[in-house]
Amino acid sequence: MKAVYSNTACPKLVKWMAIVAALVGVACFGLYLLQVFNGEGVRLFLYISAFLLIYGAMFYGEYLLLTITVDEEKDTITDSRHKKYPLKVSQIKTATYKVNRKGKYRSLFLHDTGVGFMDIRTSKENAHLIVNQIRKVNPAVEINTANYL
């Protein structure tokens, strides 16, 4: 069984929003450079603020476009950012829920018996579903919680 876990319900919309954000950010940066070379400093704050806002929106769009694929038939788990380097589900030794000092969930960290690892930034609900599916294939997986700053 192959299951795909995504951080968004409509990835095509997020993809187009990220592209538009990138184009608007480049346009704001171009306008900023024109203002700097013309010597006008009145609207610089507006251009820099818009550029930074759009730049941050691109990173949030990248987070939303992340998908994790767990394929029980091929015995692999794949992150959409690192498709060339899947982890073997049967070789996963630990699954660690990373939480901050206050106990809020941050990410899921998978480590196999060798040097392979995967840091999955997804919601807590998706992390639970991923761990449950991994435990179906490999019931020997240790489940840990680690506090990170």
Side-chain angles (χ1 to χ4, degrees):
M1 183 175 109
K2 184 176 183 179
V4 177
Y5 302 96
S6 179
N7 287 341
T8 183
C10 43
K12 286 186 179 181
L13 177 65
V14 173
K15 183 177 181 180
W16 282 107
M17 287 173 57
I19 290 170
V20 168
L23 292 175
V24 170
V26 168
C28 287
F29 187 68
L31 290 173
Y32 166 73
L33 290 177
L34 287 175
Q35 295 296 320
V36 168
F37 292 134
N38 288 337
E40 296 181 25
V42 178
R43 294 177 281 197
L44 290 180
F45 179 73
L46 177 66
Y47 292 132
I48 287 293
S49 300
F51 175 70
L52 292 175
L53 182 69
I54 299 302
Y55 195 68
M58 288 182 346
F59 283 110
Y60 186 66
E62 180 185 351
Y63 164 76
L64 289 176
L65 288 174
L66 179 71
T67 58
I68 295 90
T69 306
V70 180
D71 194 349
E72 292 178 3
E73 295 169 0
K74 293 182 181 179
D75 190 35
T76 59
I77 182 167
T78 309
D79 185 348
S80 62
R81 296 174 295 179
H82 308 105
K83 290 182 181 180
K84 291 183 181 180
Y85 308 105
L87 279 180
K88 293 279 189 187
V89 176
S90 61
Q91 293 180 353
I92 293 177
K93 183 179 179 183
T94 60
T96 305
Y97 291 100
K98 290 184 181 179
V99 295
N100 62 10
R101 273 188 279 174
K102 296 179 182 177
K104 184 179 176 186
Y105 168 80
R106 291 184 59 201
S107 66
L108 176 67
F109 187 80
L110 303 175
H111 193 276
D112 68 2
T113 55
V115 295
F117 66 92
M118 186 177 292
D119 191 22
I120 300 173
R121 303 217 174 247
T122 188
S123 67
K124 189 175 186 177
E125 294 79 21
N126 276 350
H128 288 311
L129 293 172
I130 291 168
V131 168
N132 287 337
Q133 188 167 5
I134 289 171
R135 289 198 81 176
K136 284 181 190 175
V137 177
N138 185 3
V141 173
E142 293 179 31
I143 308 298
N144 300 325
T145 301
N147 291 333
Y148 290 92
L149 296 176

